[in-house]
Amino acid sequence: MKILSVSNLNQSFGSRHVLNDISFDIKSGTIVGLVGPNGAGKSTIMKDILGLSDYQSGTITVAGTNTSFQDHRPLKQVGALIEYPGLYPFLTGWDNLKLFATSTANVEKVVSELHMNSYIKKRAGHYSLGMKQKLGIALALVNEPDLVILDEPMNGLDPQSVKDLRDLIKQMAGNGTTFLISSHILSELEKLADDLIVIKQGRIIQHTSMKEMLNRDSHFIILKTSDDRAANSLVVNAGYQVTASQPLTIIESESDEVAKILSLLSENNIEVIDFQHNEGNLEHSLLTVLAEEKV
């Protein structure tokens, strides 16, 4: 079932056309990353979905109902954090949450899940950057929305808080909540997202799965052996693509090639002293896509 559908979205600020025929669908229970260079239009798309910005043409539907700058009713089951959390500094974190929560139980639950108990009764104005960010995330999640839109949610979070948030997002997605997340911390997005929407200069250039995006990148086997020169000759003669001889670096095109190469070296009495398996990563794959795509 589609929880969000964006169709032919166009938007301009004066003479500058910032969104060009943006169209995509998101299924319930998926985690989707929205990525691209600064100024590509990511935050504008999110603001349009949330009715915070007006667009010139196109349609946006949430759970099958049209939403717009003039009509926010379909957004009742949408939670969001865009840019910086909007907090009341003279209220405690708890009271900030109580202003928007539908029940005290919801507040207790999200505070516990994000491990905020030690400071939630303190005034938000005294919070650190990371504490304010967690409170903003808690505000987005407190009413257990069907769709959550997060813009740079990991900003200011320490490593433990990042892991806590990642685990919570995965748990909620497993229970049917949908997430649209924009983040420049690609290593974290790589661990989270099921799908990716890549935007460049206001146009979608890729809408693909995380698995397909990572498969664009070459995987490398890096070896140090007792006789690198002989090992290099062996693997080249066996048909493998070698990109460097010192250290011996081999492009892996099939999942079973590691075992085959190690077996080949062993049969020829070449000892493997060190071994590294360099997997594809989102940063490299994304930069490749952006460089290849002419907009």
Side-chain angles (χ1 to χ4, degrees):
M1 173 185 170
K2 290 187 292 188
I3 184 70
L4 175 66
S5 182
V6 176
S7 180
N8 301 118
L9 195 64
N10 286 276
Q11 186 167 356
S12 298
F13 295 129
S15 61
R16 187 165 64 94
H17 204 48
V18 294
L19 297 181
N20 298 273
D21 291 322
I22 297 292
S23 296
F24 62 88
D25 297 324
I26 296 180
K27 294 179 181 178
S28 296
T30 57
I31 303 171
V32 179
L34 181 61
V35 295
N38 289 336
K42 303 183 296 297
S43 293
T44 302
I45 291 171
M46 290 179 156
K47 288 176 180 178
D48 285 348
I49 294 168
L50 294 167
L52 301 175
S53 179
D54 202 4
Y55 44 92
Q56 280 68 50
S57 64
T59 58
I60 299 172
T61 63
V62 176
T65 303
N66 284 7
T67 184
S68 68
F69 186 65
Q70 291 79 23
D71 186 359
H72 293 183
R73 286 175 296 176
L75 301 177
K76 289 181 180 178
Q77 282 303 307
V78 178
L81 173 62
I82 301 294
E83 296 175 346
Y84 302 102
L87 307 175
Y88 292 96
F90 295 104
L91 295 181
T92 65
W94 181 274
D95 288 336
N96 269 275
L97 288 167
K98 281 291 295 290
L99 281 175
F100 300 97
T102 56
S103 71
T104 300
N106 282 358
V107 175
E108 292 171 345
K109 185 170 184 286
V110 76
V111 167
S112 175
E113 288 171 333
L114 290 172
H115 305 289
M116 301 169 67
N117 292 285
S118 64
Y119 57 84
I120 197 65
K121 295 296 179 69
K122 297 178 181 178
R123 286 186 179 181
H126 296 157
Y127 283 9
S128 68
L129 174 62
M131 291 159 69
K132 289 176 181 177
Q133 186 73 0
K134 286 179 80 170
L135 182 55
I137 293 166
L139 285 164
L141 303 181
V142 67
N143 290 322
E144 301 181 330
D146 297 325
L147 171 64
V148 180
I149 296 175
L150 300 174
D151 189 10
E152 302 294 344
M154 282 81 173
N155 275 359
L157 298 186
D158 60 47
Q160 184 60 55
S161 296
V162 168
K163 183 182 184 302
D164 292 341
L165 178 58
R166 185 199 319 141
D167 292 344
L168 180 55
I169 289 173
K170 287 183 175 180
Q171 175 190 321
M172 292 180 68
N175 292 329
T177 304
T178 307
F179 288 85
L180 178 62
I181 303 172
S182 175
S183 177
H184 285 105
I185 306 177
L186 298 179
S187 58
E188 280 303 319
L189 205 56
E190 183 176 335
K191 298 171 187 174
L192 267 177
D194 303 303
D195 296 327
L196 285 173
I197 297 170
V198 183
I199 183 170
K200 180 178 181 180
Q201 295 179 19
R203 298 182 186 275
I204 292 177
I205 60 173
Q206 289 276 328
H207 187 177
T208 186
S209 69
M210 179 65 75
K211 182 178 180 180
E212 289 173 344
M213 177 64 80
L214 293 178
N215 282 342
R216 293 179 57 93
D217 204 4
S218 296
H219 296 202
F220 296 93
I221 303 163
I222 303 172
L223 298 172
K224 182 176 176 57
T225 73
S226 58
D227 189 341
D228 285 347
R229 181 176 294 181
N232 183 76
S233 296
L234 274 172
V235 295
V236 168
N237 290 336
Y240 296 103
Q241 185 177 352
V242 174
T243 63
S245 57
Q246 291 289 331
L248 182 57
T249 306
I250 308 159
I251 292 180
E252 178 193 20
S253 57
E254 297 179 10
S255 59
D256 61 347
E257 284 184 345
V258 174
K260 290 179 179 179
I261 291 168
L262 294 179
S263 178
L264 174 66
L265 296 176
S266 176
E267 289 168 2
N268 287 272
N269 299 314
I270 297 176
E271 181 185 357
V272 176
I273 298 170
D274 191 28
F275 170 86
Q276 295 178 44
H277 197 189
N278 186 11
E279 298 286 348
N281 66 78
L282 179 56
E283 178 182 294
H284 188 274
S285 297
L286 179 60
L287 290 174
T288 300
V289 168
L290 291 170
E292 290 175 349
E293 192 70 30
K294 306 299 180 185
V295 176

